[in-house]
Amino acid sequence: MKALWATLPFLPLLLTAAPRSFLAHDEGYYALQARWIAQSGQWLAPPWWDQVVFDRTIGLPWLIAAAYRLLGLAPWVAHVPSLVAAVASLLLTAALARRLLGGDGDGWLAAAVLALTPLWLDYAHLASQDMPLLALELLGILALLLAGDTPKRHWALLAGAWIGPAFLIKGFMVALPVLALLPFVLLERRPVLQRPAFWLGLALGWLPVALWLGLSLRVLGLPVVAGLWQKLLYLSESDVYSAGPIYYVWNLPANTFPWSLFALAGWRGWLAAPLERTRRLLLLLYPLLMLLLLSAFRTKTPYYGLQLTPFVALAATAGLRSWSAAAGKSARWASLGIAGLGMALVLAAAVVLWPGAPAKRLVANGVASLAPTPEQFAMAAVGLGLAWALVFWCRRSSPRLGALLIGPWLALVVLVQAGLFTDRSPVQRQALARPAAAQALAAGPIAAAAAAPLSGEEHARLILVALASPRLVPRLGAPEQVPPGDRVWIRRQELPAGWPVQLQAPELEPWLLAAAPGADR
């Protein structure tokens, strides 16, 4: 019963009645792939329209397709694997905190900090590979930690079994956590490597990968399957996502603020105090190696940093405990700074909420493409600001810590329930939900036609309109290849003369729903 009550604060962050729409790249891509798998029954290869594209592994499309089969084709269903993995990552982080930091309270606090981390919450609501990968990595770390302390076989089995499924989810990216864990394994868990259960788990974990790759090679051939390796080479050499060697040094703290500040205090405390080797290897060396490995890879994106968020939460937990219990001058100045920031947020929100204020128009222009309104952003700032303004006046440890946590919780609950993390393309969703649009989409099968290559924005819009089409024909070709009577999504500049347009809207540009003249279908 106590554990059940402890989960209640997390529910408003993960469950919402707000509409769901997709971010075209990459969650819409995965949702569309999974839909084709579920509808066609062809589970072997990653489909893309009428082609097979081995540009990534198939684990996530399999998970989403399985959810579609069980629960039906709905936008929220595509997010079920990530939400389940998010819950697992919270539980695993809490278990690591109890083991490494020393108490049940630390487990709850670490899970709370992780749930209130903007980067983590963002990807908990994205149908992407990253949250399932994080859950598998945490499972592997916890299993290795426990396998050295207990003779029970299942922990050693799990310590080896997680790597294969992680490869199915994220491909070669699994090499980074494996390399970062090597010092801990070789220095602290070498006996685990001598246990048959570990190697059995490793073999069982890689068995689905071997079967998938073996069948793919047999059916499709090496040139097609080699796309996995070619994509890795492209990402390692391309400058498209390159952002310099110190990208994560500033990006990760920004995306985990304010907990990154407390994490710095936690890491400083661990460096100053003698830690046993197990804790030193997992709490200090592992995140450092992961940071270095991520920084060495040319492609850099915020979601790669997601793998470090549980360790920021663990360090922040130590920092928060020290700060909330301290009564010295530095702790008072920190509390005063938090309270001052809270008052600044309240004043900024008041300016936005003031009728006719120019600031409201500026904010409205800045959030025009997002689901929450300026008023909802302002209310989130009020909740955060008022809670933080109380921090300075809380003299005891528990109320001070509670005031610091309740502010981000209130703000993020408002934004989650307003759709910030779920309604990724609200403008297109609303255009496609209009009665005339819904009627046109439901009238029959729809294909897609394009003679020239698509730009990134055109491709993104095509993914969104394709996901909204109840009956989608997996064909992409030039307009002259469209059979008479077929309905297609086609770019305005390629629309042949005489083709009747059945659906068009400024929000869907450049795509129109048109029908090729000819026989009725």
Side-chain angles (χ1 to χ4, degrees):
M1 183 61 69
K2 183 179 179 181
L4 179 62
W5 281 105
T7 63
L8 292 180
F10 300 106
L11 296 182
L13 296 169
L14 296 174
L15 302 179
T16 175
R20 286 189 179 270
S21 60
F22 293 101
L23 189 67
H25 295 117
D26 284 332
E27 65 165 354
Y29 187 98
Y30 293 120
L32 201 50
Q33 278 190 323
R35 178 174 157 184
W36 282 322
I37 291 173
Q39 291 179 333
S40 69
Q42 301 295 326
W43 293 74
L44 180 60
W48 192 244
W49 295 98
D50 59 344
Q51 299 178 334
V52 171
V53 182
F54 269 79
D55 63 339
R56 60 200 78 196
T57 47
I58 203 169
L60 181 66
W62 274 354
L63 292 176
I64 298 175
Y68 279 154
R69 283 288 186 91
L70 290 172
L71 303 172
L73 291 171
W76 68 271
V77 175
H79 296 88
V80 168
S82 288
L83 288 170
V84 171
V87 173
S89 72
L90 290 177
L91 296 174
L92 292 165
T93 300
L96 284 170
R98 287 192 294 269
R99 194 76 181 180
L100 296 171
L101 302 183
D104 289 339
D106 288 328
W108 179 89
L109 181 56
V113 170
L114 183 61
L116 297 175
T117 298
L119 179 62
W120 181 91
L121 189 60
D122 188 23
Y123 282 88
H125 289 282
L126 270 177
S128 69
Q129 303 165 319
D130 306 286
M131 194 57 71
L133 174 67
L134 178 64
L136 287 168
E137 290 176 1
L138 292 173
L139 176 62
I141 293 170
L142 181 64
L144 275 171
L145 183 63
L146 296 178
D149 298 333
T150 175
K152 294 181 179 179
R153 292 187 182 91
H154 66 275
W155 289 118
L157 191 79
L158 288 172
W162 70 276
I163 303 175
F167 178 86
L168 271 180
I169 293 293
K170 194 69 174 181
F172 297 103
M173 182 57 66
V174 71
L176 272 63
V178 170
L179 289 173
L181 277 172
L182 276 181
F184 173 67
V185 173
L186 296 177
L187 295 174
E188 284 292 298
R189 290 299 182 264
R190 190 186 294 266
V192 176
L193 301 181
Q194 300 171 2
R195 296 169 63 176
F198 172 83
W199 297 102
L200 177 61
L202 189 67
L204 290 175
W206 280 101
L207 182 60
V209 180
L211 290 173
W212 173 59
L213 289 176
L215 287 172
S216 298
L217 287 168
R218 180 180 177 183
V219 174
L220 301 168
L222 180 60
V224 175
V225 181
L228 289 173
W229 180 253
Q230 292 164 1
K231 180 65 176 289
L232 176 66
L233 293 178
Y234 167 76
L235 291 176
S236 63
E237 298 173 357
S238 172
D239 289 327
V240 176
Y241 301 104
S242 179
I246 64 169
Y247 174 79
Y248 295 109
V249 175
W250 66 263
N251 183 269
L252 185 63
N255 281 318
T256 56
F257 183 83
W259 315 120
S260 51
L261 298 179
F262 293 97
L264 289 174
W267 281 318
R268 186 180 66 177
W270 289 337
L271 289 170
L275 281 180
E276 64 174 288
R277 189 165 65 175
T278 295
R279 289 180 169 84
R280 194 161 62 246
L281 291 172
L282 284 180
L283 295 174
L284 293 173
L285 185 60
Y286 174 78
L288 176 61
L289 289 177
M290 277 295 294
L291 180 66
L292 293 174
L293 289 169
L294 289 171
S295 298
F297 193 60
R298 184 184 292 268
T299 296
K300 295 177 177 64
T301 63
Y303 53 79
Y304 287 169
L306 179 70
Q307 298 170 82
L308 288 166
T309 54
F311 295 90
V312 173
L314 291 172
T317 298
L320 285 167
R321 288 294 189 197
S322 299
W323 164 78
S324 64
K329 184 179 296 185
S330 60
R332 287 197 299 272
W333 277 109
S335 299
L336 182 61
I338 294 169
L341 180 57
M343 290 305 301
L345 287 170
V346 172
L347 291 174
V351 171
V352 172
L353 292 171
W354 193 269
K360 183 173 184 177
R361 292 193 295 272
L362 291 174
V363 173
N365 291 333
V367 302
S369 61
L370 302 178
T373 63
E375 291 80 6
Q376 289 168 326
F377 277 105
M379 292 307 299
V382 168
L384 175 60
L386 288 177
W388 279 7
L390 296 175
V391 167
F392 182 73
W393 308 104
C394 297
R395 300 304 180 189
R396 290 186 296 130
S397 172
S398 294
R400 187 186 302 175
L401 191 56
L404 184 71
L405 292 173
I406 195 67
W409 184 86
L410 286 170
L412 289 172
V413 165
V414 168
L415 295 176
V416 167
Q417 299 306 319
L420 177 64
F421 298 98
T422 57
D423 201 2
R424 305 286 181 160
S425 303
V427 175
Q428 289 78 20
R429 176 188 59 78
Q430 292 164 8
L432 291 163
R434 293 168 189 154
Q439 183 178 1
L441 292 171
I446 304 173
L454 305 181
S455 67
E457 182 61 26
E458 289 172 339
H459 191 234
R461 294 288 177 89
L462 176 59
I463 289 173
L464 296 178
V465 297
L467 284 166
S469 306
R471 298 170 63 190
L472 190 64
V473 180
R475 182 178 64 248
L476 183 64
E480 57 268 18
Q481 298 173 338
V482 178
D486 272 19
R487 301 181 331 131
V488 295
W489 289 109
I490 187 170
R491 288 180 290 188
R492 177 183 293 277
Q493 64 268 29
E494 293 183 349
L495 180 67
W499 283 36
V501 175
Q502 299 183 354
L503 172 61
Q504 60 180 327
E507 300 89 346
L508 308 180
E509 291 288 347
W511 295 99
L512 311 168
L513 179 57
D520 293 333
R521 292 180 66 89

